[in-house]
Amino acid sequence: MPRLEIADDGFRLDDRPFRIISGGLHYFRVHPDQWADRLRKARLLGLNTVETYVPWNLHAPRPGEFRLDGGLDLPRFLGLAAAEGLYVLLRPGPYICAEWEGGGLPSWLLAEDGIELRSRDPRFLAAVDGYLATLLPPLKPYLSTDGGPVIAVQLENEYGAYGDDTGYLADLAGLLRAHGVDVPLFTCDQPSDLPRGGLDGVLRTVNFGSRVEAGLDELRLVQPTGPLMCSEFWIGWFDRWGAVHTTRDATDAAADLDRLLASGASVNIYMFHGGTNFGLTSGANDKGTYRPTVTSYDYDALLDEAGDPTPKYEAFREVIARYAPVPDEPVPAPGPKLAPTVVGLDASAGLFDQPHLFGRPVRAGRPQTMEQLGQSFGFVLYETELPAAGPAVLRVDEVRDRAQVFVDGQPVGVLERENHEHALAFVTPRRGARLAVLVENQGRVNYGPGIHDRKGLLGPVRLNGEELDDWSSSPLPLDSLDALAVAPAGPLVGPAFHRGSFALDRPADGYLALDGWTKGHAWINGFPLGRYWSRGPQTTLFVPAPALRPGRNEITVLELHATTTRTVELRDRPDLGTAED
């Protein structure tokens, strides 16, 4: 494929004027068996390019490990994009934001006391060097300079909203070049952050969702010549637990796209297809109050969570056709969906009765953080003995992020970071009663200074003013349910797994509804669908067809509190919540 060039008057490709018309499509938010379908729909929209982040934390779950297989087979994704005739904008971070757990930075970095992320801290830069040294060589054949689809690579991500150290950006640019990236580099920032987030010699681009002319004017102030590009044209937004479902009118978004393309600028539509934060990968924000992101990353995008075209798809296709060729093919039809089916979950097991699901406990004077335990996602179970019977007030310095408290197996309360809760009162039934605190990581902060977000119980824990100093900390990553043993059971007190099965003639996309359930996680055939919560707005979880199989299929639910029913329902349409207060 030809090489992208940055000229004073715009982009050039193969020495001809070129406009990038791109859409965001994150391979790690889409089942790999559905990548080809989404890329085909990108081409049919009229896109010539797709954009993807690279989540360092998934590719390198532990120091010294690196994965490029299955749903993380980035070379395969790039090859499929090339097969559709699409170019690629690659955004490897190291920080990506993306409403993704920790902004894509591996949690194991936080095992280092005092480490400064996104800085020239030698420990951070050494880790980034190792990441790029492992990631980039397998991607070299996919750079356009080697005949591949990747025409440009992003340097960091919206750095101007975080810092202003151009030395740090220069170090990253040097690492990218040293590890073989010889295509153009670019940065992206919101308009007010452009002066802080750029690097001389690297193309600056701007992010916005409206006020098109003002955003492009801000870019021209800091970059008088060269291509104009909006690297994130926000056409929707993400949701958080406890809020409403965010949408944007298709006509309004299309009108702003028209203004953007009429200006001669290039664009990356964020998102073309949002997908899903499968498993435990959602991030969070914290601007004084912690706000975890929901499982769906539908984003009110051009393709919905199941990959079906929305009204925005058609509206944007009409706009793009005014400025670029659009394939003479019909808008893709929606894919088949599961027939509504009620599934009984008639086998159960108490979570605390499954010790083989927990990692090796660590004894220490204080609770150990997830990072100290070498853990990224899931829960930690903290246990100790209470010194005396009678009224008790438990106080913790920091709960990251949600703690369920039990005394001798009986629930006595919940502490939530989101509500700034630090204390809980209960009555201890006897001396030596067992205190258990199950702490859930609801997503590391992915934006701003809060990215230094260690999980678990932080600092001392006190009972009636005295520090409890003999703790067992047991990790519960929930990365596999292979060892789970369930049996027919009646009501269970405390967190419990529930399992049932159903039969299919032919797999199709669908949605799992958990009406009557409170909070927890769900799997189908061991595939992690993600977190549910009656708090909403989202009340269904997307089920990708490739996670199903003809014949018998198995649903497993970990309910953390209680349920009014022993059934769940497979549906043919989503419920992402109301869009109004």
Side-chain angles (χ1 to χ4, degrees), residues 265-331:
S266 290
V267 64
N268 176 58
I269 298 162
Y270 196 97
M271 297 289 297
F272 163 66
H273 174 48
T276 308
N277 298 316
F278 290 119
L280 306 170
T281 54
S282 298
N285 283 281
D286 192 341
K287 298 177 181 179
T289 297
Y290 176 79
R291 303 294 194 196
T293 303
V294 303
T295 300
S296 171
Y297 201 66
D298 175 271
Y299 213 87
D300 199 30
L302 306 189
L303 298 183
D304 67 15
E305 201 172 359
D308 292 334
T310 67
K312 263 184 199 159
Y313 186 99
E314 298 190 48
F316 275 42
R317 198 176 193 233
E318 290 177 7
V319 171
I320 291 169
R322 298 170 197 159
Y323 301 94
V326 170
D328 186 18
E329 299 179 47
V331 172

Side-chain angles (χ1 to χ4, degrees), residues 516-546:
W517 299 74
T518 304
K519 188 181 195 298
H521 304 267
W523 297 257
I524 282 192
N525 297 328
F527 182 86
L529 300 179
R531 179 181 284 112
Y532 68 88
W533 200 350
S534 59
R535 184 173 291 184
Q538 173 182 0
T539 64
T540 57
L541 296 174
F542 174 58
V543 180

Side-chain angles (χ1 to χ4, degrees), residues 22 111 216 254 258 291 320 340 410:
S22 174
L216 294 178
D258 198 11
R291 303 294 194 196
I320 291 169
Q410 297 299 307

